[in-house]
């Protein structure tokens, strides 16, 4: 099934100048980038984005990190895009991520782990709409 998912290149990756390599990695896959922009989230915007994690021990730290510098937000589209992108990212902890995945290659800690990906169709819809209007997403035409 063709799906959309929300991907973020996090501030650690932009800071260490590997966003180009992450974009290249996506371009070499079967996923299509249908929207992309650079943003800097406020702390409140990061808290709204990660609202499902409110109350967890890492909530304050991760939202401070996500608002610490620019991010690149993207919509990725393709067959089973949600699972496919999470497979390409690797596990949350870069030390446990499979070799060849983005987090294994460029991640530095369980928090500074380079990329984000939606985890289910409902969260993908919420997250895509959090950052993009319909007009900003490229349609299905090649
Ligand atoms: P993401 O939602 O960013 O794609 P994920 O789904 O693999 O990552 P989540 O459990 O949703 O992981 O956690 C969201 C983010 O919070 C993680 O990507 C990471 O940056 C941070 N995080 C998660 N667990 C921890 C932890 N134990 N300590 C510090 N930061 C954490
Ligand atoms: Mg998550």
């Amino acid at each position: 099934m063709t799906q959309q998912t929300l991907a973020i290149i996090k501030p650690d990756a932009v800071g260490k100048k590997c966003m180009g390599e992450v974009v290249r990695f996506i371009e070499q896959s079967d996923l299509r980038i249908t929207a992309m922009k650079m943003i800097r989230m406020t702390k409140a915007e990061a808290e709204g984005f990660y609202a499902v994690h409110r109350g967890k021990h890492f909530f304050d730290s991760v939202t401070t990190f996500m608002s610490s510098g620019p991010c690149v937000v993207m919509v990725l589209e393709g067959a089973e895009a949600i699972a496919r992108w999470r497979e390409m990212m690797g596990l949350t902890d870069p030390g446990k991520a499979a070799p060849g995945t983005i987090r294994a290659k460029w991640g530095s800690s369980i928090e500074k782990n380079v990329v984000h990906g939606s985890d289910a169709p409902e969260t993908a819809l919420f997250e895509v709409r959090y950052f993009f209007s319909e007009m900003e997403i490229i349609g299905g035409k090649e």
Side-chain angles (χ1 to χ4, degrees):
M1 187 182 53
T2 300
Q3 292 177 325
Q4 285 185 338
T5 193
L6 192 278
I8 303 180
I9 302 178
K10 296 184 179 184
D12 59 321
V14 176
K16 67 165 82 153
K17 300 187 176 178
C18 66
M19 68 179 182
E21 290 177 90
V22 174
V23 171
R24 183 90 192 105
F25 194 87
I26 297 167
E27 287 185 321
Q28 286 171 332
S29 78
D30 42 8
L31 295 177
R32 215 161 63 95
I33 300 170
T34 55
M36 176 157 137
K37 63 187 170 189
M38 184 177 260
I39 59 160
R40 166 100 191 237
M41 276 187 261
T42 63
K43 171 91 165 146
E45 286 164 347
E47 287 171 355
F49 176 70
Y50 273 137
V52 290
H53 295 305
R54 195 176 282 280
K56 292 190 186 157
H57 69 91
F58 58 83
F59 182 72
D60 184 56
S61 179
V62 77
T63 52
T64 297
F65 162 56
M66 290 298 281
S67 55
S68 68
C71 286
V72 176
V73 288
M74 290 175 283
V75 178
L76 306 181
E77 203 173 297
E80 306 298 335
I82 296 168
R84 180 80 190 96
W85 173 235
R86 288 187 71 84
E87 193 180 285
M88 287 162 62
M89 294 196 303
L91 295 179
T92 310
D93 182 350
K96 295 182 180 149
T101 60
I102 294 171
R103 285 168 165 168
K105 281 177 193 251
W106 296 295
S108 41
S109 71
I110 193 164
E111 179 178 86
K112 295 181 175 57
N113 59 6
V114 192
V115 279
H116 163 83
S118 309
D119 58 13
E122 312 78 61
T123 50
L125 192 63
F126 165 79
E127 293 177 358
V128 166
R129 287 184 177 162
Y130 196 75
F131 294 112
F132 294 98
S133 71
E134 219 167 301
M135 263 183 69
E136 292 176 297
I137 303 171
I138 305 302
K141 292 175 262 107
E142 283 298 323

